Amino acid sequence: MGLTERINKTDKLSYYEGQIPIEYVYTYGLGLEKFFRAIKDQGKFLASTCKECGVTYLPARSFCERCLVKIEGTTAVPGTGTVYSYTTVHLNMDESPKKEPALVALIDMDGTDCRFLHYLTGVKADKVKVGMKVKPALKAKKDRKGHIEDIVGFQPS
Amino acid sequence: MAYQKVAIVGAGITKFVRRAQETGKELAFQASKMALDSCGMTIDDIESVSLGTAPDAFDGVHMKGEYLSDGSGGWRKPYMRQFVGGGTGVFAPIHGWLHVASGMFDTCLVVCSEKMSSCYPHPQGAFKTIFDHTTEQALDPTLIWIFALEMNRFMSTYGITKEEIAQVSVKNKKNAMDHPAAQLPMEITVDDVMNSETLAWPVNRLDISPASDGAAAIVLASEHASKRITDKPVWIDGVGWNLDTAYWATRDLSYPRYVEKAARMAYDMAGVVEPKREIEIAEPYDPFDYKELHHMEGLQLADRGKAVEMLLDGVTQRDGDRPMCPSGGALGVGNPIAATGLMKVIEIFLQLRGEAGKRQVPGSPRCGLAQAWGDLMQVGTVVVLRR
Ligand SMILES: [Zn+2]
C-alpha cells in the first residue's frame, strides 16, 4: 500500500519484462448515460431517487443498491455543495512531483445523499475549509464531450 | 454452537522485503513449509487449502489463484483463492475456518502470498483500476487521495493533529525492530514523520507503509485433530466480515462502520460482551498511521475520537495495558497486501502462546484479535483468538 519507492535497481537480480496488451471501451450504462448527456447538452446535474428508501443518488443510477429495486426517472439538482474533506496532492501517478500541488475535495452535493470527488479551482490551499460552499465550473458547451472532465472543478460560491 | 472448534496449530512467515528474488510461488512455498514444519506436519496431513492473494494486476497473471497453487500446497487438493484487497489476509483464515468449522475437513493450510514489486514502475498503476472508470479514473486519482481525504476528515471531526497521529508510526516502526521479518524497522521521532515529504496533505511519507514482497501461512485443525498436533492450540473463537458501499466517496469517512459490523459479528460468535475489557491485545490494520486509531474505534476498543488518548497515554505501547500492533504492523513489518493480515493473525497466535520472543507483551493475554481492511477501502475482516 505504500506508494513511495520507485523501483530502479534491478541490476542485482535477473529479470525480464512483460506487458498486458489490452485497452478498454466502457459504456456509460443506463444510469450514467442520462447523467453525462445532461451535463454535455444542458449543463445540468441529474440525480435519481429510490422510491423505496428515499435515497437520492448523484450521478443518477438505474437501481438502488440498498433496496435492490429499479429506479425510474431523474431530477435535476443544482450541482452546488459543501466541502466534506480535501487534500493537496503533491505527486503525479508516477511519483514525480507536480509543478503546483493539486487541490482535490470530496463535496457533499446539495439535494442528494452523495458526494463528488473532484478538483477545487479558483481558490488557494490555505483558504480551503471543511464546510466551505462550492459550485461547479463547467467547460464551455462547445468543448463538452459528455465526460467527467466536462466539469473543470468546483469553486467557492 | 453447531460448528467444529477450529485451532491454529502452526505458523510460518518469510521476511518482508521491497523486491524479493523469489517468485510469488516460491514465497508461498517458503511460508507454507515453515508453517507445516513448525507443527511437525507434511502436506499429506492437509485436507484443504485456502489461498489469499490480492490483485491479479500485481503479477499481470489473470489467474493468480491457480498461479500460486503449487507453492501453496494446492496440488490435487480442494483449493480456494480468496480476495478482498487489503482485507484478504484475515479473509483467507476466515475461509479456512469455514472449511474446518463446517466439518468438511479436519485440517486446512491457509497461505497468503504477495509480490508487489513485479509491477513497474510502481503498483500505483494497478491501484488506479480500483477507481470507477467513468467518474473517477479520468481525474488521475491515486490511492493516497482516498487516505488523505479520510485522514483529513478524521482529524477535522475530532480535532486530532498530525503530530498526535504520527506517534502511531513512531510506535509501530519501533516495535518492528524486534520482528525478524521486518522490512522497515526504525527508531524515529514525531519530527521525522512531520518533516518527511508531503505526498498528499495530511499524508507524509513516514505516515504510510511500504510496498512489499512476502508470504505468511498458518495451519488450522479441528479440536480432535489438534490433539495429535499440539498441546498449545490457539482457538479461532469468532470470525466476522462486512462490506460497505463501493461508492467510497459517499461513506462516512470519520468512522469505519463496516469494521464495526465485522467486529460485532465476530464478538457475538466468540461471546465477547465488553470488547474494551475482554480484548487484551490487538493487531488493527495499519497501512497508514491514522488507520490504527480509526480501526480501534470501529473495533469498539476505543470510543469515537478517543483512540488517540489511549495512544498518547501509552496504553497501546507493547508494555501498555492494551498493546496495539506489537508486531510492528504494516508500518514497520511491511505491507505485502494479503500477507500483512495473516502476519497480524500470526502475531496474536504467538503472543497468546507466549512465543513472541522479544516482542512478547506482559500479562499472559488470553484473548486477542486481528483485523484487516481493503477492497475499495470498505471491507472489514476480523478474527477473535483465545488460548
Ligand atoms: Zn432504495
Side-chain angles (χ1 to χ4, degrees):
Chain A
M1 194 130 333
L3 316 164
T4 56
E5 297 164 77
R6 299 178 70 185
I7 307 164
N8 296 317
K9 291 194 176 157
T10 50
D11 52 320
K12 297 247 165 51
L13 303 175
S14 298
Y15 69 96
Y16 60 95
E17 293 175 1
Q19 299 86 30
I20 302 179
I22 309 177
E23 291 180 0
Y24 296 87
V25 176
Y26 298 113
T27 62
Y28 283 165
L30 307 178
L32 285 177
E33 180 88 29
K34 291 178 190 162
F35 176 83
F36 281 109
R37 276 196 189 284
I39 289 276
K40 179 173 179 282
D41 298 338
Q42 304 165 316
K44 281 188 175 166
F45 286 70
L46 290 192
S48 61
T49 301
C50 171
K51 287 203 172 66
E52 298 276 328
C53 67
V55 165
T56 296
Y57 293 106
L58 181 76
R61 297 188 202 173
S62 62
F63 65 92
C64 175
E65 66 173 321
R66 302 184 186 198
C67 309
L68 216 65
V69 297
K70 202 168 167 183
I71 300 180
E72 309 274 7
T74 55
T75 40
V77 294
T80 55
T82 308
V83 171
Y84 174 82
S85 189
Y86 65 92
T87 175
T88 47
V89 179
H90 291 248
L91 302 181
N92 293 309
M93 172 74 63
D94 66 357
E95 298 259 313
S96 61
K98 285 184 183 292
K99 284 197 191 103
E100 282 286 316
L103 267 169
V104 171
L106 286 175
I107 297 148
D108 269 324
M109 298 298 289
D110 292 342
T112 80
D113 297 289
C114 288
R115 292 191 200 109
F116 247 69
L117 171 72
H118 222 299
Y119 291 101
L120 290 177
T121 58
V123 60
K124 289 263 193 289
D126 58 359
K127 299 291 182 217
V128 180
K129 294 261 181 308
V130 170
M132 192 172 82
K133 301 285 181 198
V134 292
K135 62 183 181 189
L138 296 183
K139 284 183 180 167
K141 188 173 177 186
K142 65 176 172 46
D143 297 327
R144 295 203 294 259
K145 292 178 178 153
H147 191 269
I148 194 68
E149 287 171 308
D150 290 353
I151 306 167
V152 179
F154 287 77
Q155 59 194 31
S157 59
Chain B
M1 204 157 67
Y3 310 121
Q4 289 206 96
K5 280 186 77 175
V6 181
I8 305 177
V9 297
I13 188 165
T14 71
K15 190 160 168 55
F16 291 180
V17 296
R18 180 64 190 91
R19 176 180 282 268
Q21 180 165 25
E22 292 87 346
T23 63
K25 293 163 178 270
E26 289 166 338
L27 291 169
F29 163 73
Q30 289 176 3
S32 301
K33 187 78 171 92
M34 272 189 265
L36 290 167
D37 287 351
S38 76
C39 52
M41 293 171 75
T42 72
I43 194 63
D44 293 339
D45 302 317
I46 295 296
E47 295 180 9
S48 80
V49 176
S50 169
L51 171 84
T53 191
D56 289 358
F58 282 167
D59 303 70
V61 173
H62 206 84
M63 40 169 260
K64 226 171 129 186
E66 292 88 329
Y67 173 69
L68 293 173
S69 62
D70 53 353
S72 310
W75 183 67
R76 291 186 180 168
K77 289 201 192 294
Y79 173 84
M80 264 190 187
R81 180 252 181 121
Q82 333 301 342
F83 172 37
V84 284
T88 304
V90 174
F91 199 59
I94 288 173
H95 265 272
W97 177 88
L98 285 165
H99 288 195
V100 178
S102 64
M104 286 190 76
F105 307 105
D106 278 322
T107 56
C108 177
L109 177 64
V110 180
V111 186
C112 287
S113 177
E114 209 71 76
K115 186 165 172 104
M116 298 173 74
S117 66
S118 303
C119 262
Y120 197 86
H122 196 282
Q124 193 64 257
F127 285 132
K128 184 176 176 180
T129 66
I130 74 175
F131 289 92
D132 186 276
H133 49 66
T134 313
T135 58
E136 293 177 341
Q137 282 190 25
L139 304 174
D140 243 4
T142 70
L143 268 192
I144 296 180
W145 287 28
I146 300 184
F147 304 124
L149 292 162
E150 186 171 78
M151 181 169 168
N152 185 11
R153 185 66 193 184
F154 183 58
M155 288 164 55
S156 304
T157 302
Y158 301 115
I160 301 168
T161 66
K162 259 178 73 56
E163 286 86 349
E164 290 169 337
I165 288 171
Q167 294 207 24
V168 173
S169 189
V170 173
K171 167 177 72 74
N172 291 5
K173 286 180 186 296
K174 180 155 185 282
N175 282 350
M177 310 252 315
D178 297 322
H179 201 304
Q183 177 182 351
L184 278 187
M186 51 176 113
E187 273 201 83
I188 54 169
T189 64
V190 168
D191 278 348
D192 292 333
V193 180
M194 296 299 295
N195 294 331
S196 63
E197 182 188 8
T198 302
L199 305 179
W201 185 89
V203 175
N204 290 21
R205 194 170 290 275
L206 286 175
D207 287 309
I208 83 178
S209 58
S212 314
D213 293 351
I218 58 175
V219 180
L220 303 181
S222 64
E223 185 169 23
H224 67 89
S226 72
K227 288 183 176 140
R228 298 195 302 269
I229 304 165
T230 181
D231 53 5
K232 289 170 81 177
V234 169
W235 304 102
I236 300 180
D237 274 357
V239 301
W241 68 101
N242 197 274
L243 189 72
D244 203 337
T245 176
Y247 293 83
W248 68 274
T250 291
R251 289 198 313 270
D252 177 358
L253 295 185
S254 63
Y255 182 73
R257 182 159 314 273
Y258 45 94
V259 172
E260 176 184 342
K261 290 182 94 67
R264 289 195 187 282
M265 177 178 166
Y267 293 155
D268 283 351
M269 189 179 296
V272 170
V273 181
E274 295 178 67
K276 285 194 193 76
R277 187 176 60 77
E278 295 175 59
I279 303 295
E280 298 162 86
I281 177 174
E283 282 275 341
Y285 196 55
D286 64 324
F288 287 67
D289 45 13
Y290 77 95
K291 288 306 296 190
E292 176 171 304
L293 307 173
H294 203 243
H295 286 152
M296 283 168 62
E297 293 169 17
L299 290 165
Q300 315 301 303
L301 302 178
D303 294 333
R304 291 190 196 191
K306 301 293 186 198
V308 68
E309 291 176 14
M310 291 171 69
L311 170 74
L312 299 178
D313 291 344
V315 174
T316 60
Q317 293 285 341
R318 194 187 280 154
D319 58 359
D321 201 38
R322 285 292 176 269
M324 295 290 148
C325 295
S327 67
L331 288 163
V333 185
N335 196 3
I337 305 294
T340 310
L342 197 54
M343 179 277 286
K344 287 176 170 290
V345 174
I346 290 171
E347 180 69 10
I348 300 298
F349 166 72
L350 295 173
Q351 292 281 356
L352 296 183
R353 284 181 34 141
E355 294 176 356
K358 281 159 77 179
R359 302 192 308 285
Q360 186 63 47
V361 305
S364 307
R366 302 190 67 83
C367 181
L369 75 73
Q371 174 249 332
W373 160 78
D375 271 349
L376 195 47
M377 314 314 135
Q378 86 285 30
V379 71
T381 52
V382 175
V383 293
V384 173
L385 305 182
R386 283 201 190 94
R387 67 179 163 89

